[in-house]
Amino acid sequence: MTLDFNADEPVVGLARQQELIRAVLSASSADETRWLEWKSQHDVLKAAGAFAVSKAILGFANRMPDVAEQWAGGHAYLLVGVDEDAIHGVPTHDVEKVDSWLRRYLGEFSRYQFTYVPMDTDEGKRHVMLVDVFPPQWGDPLHPLHKEYESYRPGTVFHRYAGKTEPARPAEIYALTDRARRATKRVNVDVTMITGTVAVLAPTEGERRTIIDFLREEMMRQVDAANEKKKAAESNLFKDFSAFRNLWPDPRTPEEFQQEVDEYLSEFDLAMQHALAQAVSAAGTPLNLRLTNPGEDNLAQVEVVLSLPGTVSAHVTADAEEEIDWPRQPTEYGEGTTPRYAGLPAVLGVRPPAYHLLAPQSPDIEQQDGRTLIRFAPVDLRPHETVTLDPITVYSSHEADSFVSEWRATATNVSSKAQRSLTIPAQPLELGLRDVLQAVYGIDDDAEGADD
């Protein structure tokens, strides 16, 4: 069994806490990770229990920030009173008393909190202790054991490895020492705009939806047409030799064909947006940013993230000569041939796609919390070095004189982040989706009304 739990976000709230505990019941001991540990039974009133919990807390606290941030937002969790076999539960104690028992081993480290999570079992309600250890940060010191326990002396530095907490090895001691040193350094970079505007266009979503709906209706008519041909062929089987081909009908069901059509139209919609972005790139002014290290420190893997209003769309700027990756239309239902619809010959995919593979380090663009985020590929910067980031095409149907964005930059070898605002001017363009499709495919305004 494997741990069936989404660790993309911190475990917040009773429902998520109980979900995590239930996930342990369906897991195996091999599923304990760098962010999660569980113990079947311990009472922190006793020295053995207080030490076991403190050891786990210190191990989680002595992780590297870039490793910890891969799970649960950097948080780590210790569950006491549950294992793969059952919910055993633990005695509950007053928070202040538990903190004092743990402080003997933790010293002044307090970046954790715990709660008792109620769980219903066949034997009644039991409580599982859940300890949330907060994310480690650059600049944090090493967190050693403060009180001797059995063979572990004060000063022992525990580290959380994959599935176990043990005294740190030399490599981890060096890494944690470097983590502490970063408190004296801060990322010092500047991001400026060389050129760039946000192209302001008329809304295109309605036009795209009209085209997609039209194509879906046209292609789904093939199902009715195929059924009519089949009936006609069955009644005229020996008068027309060509009818024998209907003895081997299309193996797809109408539902399977509809799924193919939906997938095709989804890809076709993306291709239309790509074509629009390409046209905007050619007619407008793509965003070109300059990243500078004005300081004396070498900066490793500097990552710049540009946050734009959610009304702004962004695409990696494409070469004006690049062919758009138009998807292939599904084979015609019932016959396996590719039709040509009047007025939309090329749009329906009769020409082969031109696959365009972005460079492995291309900027990543996503929508998050009502913002458009552009994450540029990390770069190393020597002192006083300047690099130009990959150009980005940005456009919007929201009218404005300018668009206020915000950039932030982080590096892997220094702490903190640089963060400032950036105002990008607007550039109205007399450009629409219909113009783009007309230019690419030669579709005239009367295309939809043309005869078959």
Side-chain angles (χ1 to χ4, degrees):
M1 301 293 289
T2 58
L3 184 73
D4 184 16
F5 186 79
N6 182 1
D8 291 341
E9 297 178 351
V11 180
V12 177
L14 178 61
R16 281 271 287 169
Q17 293 168 349
Q18 292 177 331
E19 180 185 357
L20 177 60
I21 293 170
R22 285 192 291 267
V24 170
L25 294 172
S26 302
S28 70
S29 58
D31 293 320
E32 289 186 294
T33 68
R34 292 181 181 270
W35 67 273
L36 177 64
E37 181 178 0
W38 57 81
K39 298 180 180 299
S40 59
Q41 291 181 342
H42 272 300
D43 186 352
V44 291
L45 173 62
K46 301 176 181 179
F51 170 75
V53 171
S54 299
K55 176 185 173 185
I57 292 174
L58 293 172
F60 285 137
N62 285 323
R63 296 175 301 159
M64 297 299 289
D66 54 344
V67 173
E69 69 182 7
Q70 298 177 59
W71 306 279
H75 291 254
Y77 299 93
L78 169 68
L79 301 175
V80 186
V82 63
D83 58 22
E84 315 88 70
D85 298 321
I87 295 174
H88 305 282
V90 294
T92 60
H93 301 286
D94 181 78
V95 172
E96 291 185 1
K97 290 183 179 179
V98 174
D99 281 336
S100 65
W101 298 332
L102 299 182
R103 195 174 301 119
R104 291 176 294 179
Y105 301 99
L106 298 178
E108 296 303 315
F109 180 75
S110 60
R111 299 191 66 247
Y112 71 93
Q113 65 182 13
F114 72 91
T115 187
Y116 292 105
V117 182
M119 300 293 294
D120 292 325
T121 70
D122 293 339
E123 289 76 26
K125 182 166 292 186
R126 292 181 175 176
H127 289 85
V128 173
M129 185 181 188
L130 183 149
V131 184
D132 178 354
V133 183
F134 302 157
Q137 299 175 348
W138 296 115
D140 283 354
L142 287 76
H143 301 293
L145 180 68
H146 280 69
K147 177 180 172 58
E148 182 176 359
Y149 181 80
E150 294 184 348
S151 62
Y152 296 109
R153 296 180 178 275
T156 302
V157 176
F158 292 107
H159 178 74
R160 181 65 184 176
Y161 295 93
K164 56 187 177 181
T165 300
E166 294 182 338
R169 302 163 190 157
E172 281 67 47
I173 294 292
Y174 292 141
L176 290 169
T177 302
D178 180 63
R179 183 185 76 175
R181 287 198 187 108
R182 296 194 194 183
T184 61
K185 294 183 179 181
R186 295 290 185 269
V187 60
N188 178 24
V189 297
D190 194 21
V191 175
T192 56
M193 186 170 64
I194 305 172
T195 58
T197 62
V198 176
V200 178
L201 315 173
T204 62
E205 185 174 354
E207 287 184 291
R208 285 178 18 231
R209 181 49 48 204
T210 297
I211 292 172
I212 294 300
D213 290 344
F214 170 75
L215 296 181
R216 179 179 286 106
E217 182 180 351
E218 287 293 308
M219 283 188 280
M220 291 309 297
R221 286 178 182 172
Q222 296 174 22
V223 176
D224 293 334
N227 289 336
E228 292 300 324
K229 288 182 180 180
K230 181 178 179 181
K231 292 178 182 178
E234 289 173 350
S235 62
N236 195 29
L237 186 60
F238 298 102
K239 294 181 181 179
D240 185 356
F241 183 79
S242 65
F244 275 101
R245 64 184 177 182
N246 290 287
L247 293 175
W248 295 274
D250 193 321
R252 297 170 296 179
T253 65
E255 291 75 17
E256 291 172 335
F257 177 69
Q258 182 172 357
Q259 182 177 354
E260 288 186 17
V261 169
D262 290 342
E263 292 173 355
Y264 163 74
L265 292 177
S266 176
E267 294 175 5
F268 183 77
D269 189 28
L270 291 177
M272 283 196 291
Q273 295 179 60
H274 190 176
L276 179 63
Q278 189 180 69
V280 171
S281 174
T285 308
L287 184 62
N288 287 273
L289 300 179
R290 178 189 290 121
L291 172 63
T292 302
N293 175 11
E296 302 296 333
D297 295 318
N298 285 300
L299 299 177
Q301 295 295 284
V302 179
E303 181 186 69
V304 174
V305 179
L306 182 66
S307 175
L308 293 156
T311 56
V312 176
S313 297
H315 290 266
V316 177
T317 300
D319 187 335
E321 302 300 322
E322 175 196 352
E323 291 188 76
I324 304 301
D325 186 13
W326 296 102
R328 287 186 180 274
Q329 177 199 2
T331 303
E332 183 179 359
Y333 185 78
E335 299 216 2
T337 59
T338 302
R340 287 176 173 265
Y341 291 110
L344 290 171
V347 173
L348 287 177
V350 296
R351 75 185 205 177
Y355 291 102
H356 171 66
L357 297 178
L358 295 174
Q361 296 299 313
S362 290
D364 179 57
I365 300 171
E366 62 177 331
Q367 290 286 330
Q368 187 179 102
D369 298 329
R371 305 285 293 179
T372 298
L373 300 184
I374 304 171
R375 195 179 304 274
F376 293 91
V379 295
D380 294 330
L381 282 177
R382 295 183 176 88
H384 305 290
E385 184 179 10
T386 295
V387 298
T388 301
L389 302 178
D390 291 330
I392 298 292
T393 297
V394 287
Y395 59 94
S396 175
S397 60
H398 179 76
E399 293 186 5
D401 294 329
S402 61
F403 293 81
V404 178
S405 62
E406 182 180 80
W407 64 264
R408 63 179 183 271
T410 56
T412 59
N413 66 328
V414 294
S415 61
S416 77
K417 63 183 176 183
Q419 185 170 332
R420 285 190 281 280
S421 62
L422 181 71
T423 300
I424 308 173
Q427 180 185 12
L429 289 183
E430 295 295 329
L431 180 68
L433 182 61
R434 179 176 291 272
D435 302 318
V436 173
L437 295 179
Q438 284 178 338
V440 174
Y441 294 106
I443 305 172
D444 57 42
D445 290 331
D446 298 326
E448 292 185 15
D451 295 331
D452 292 336

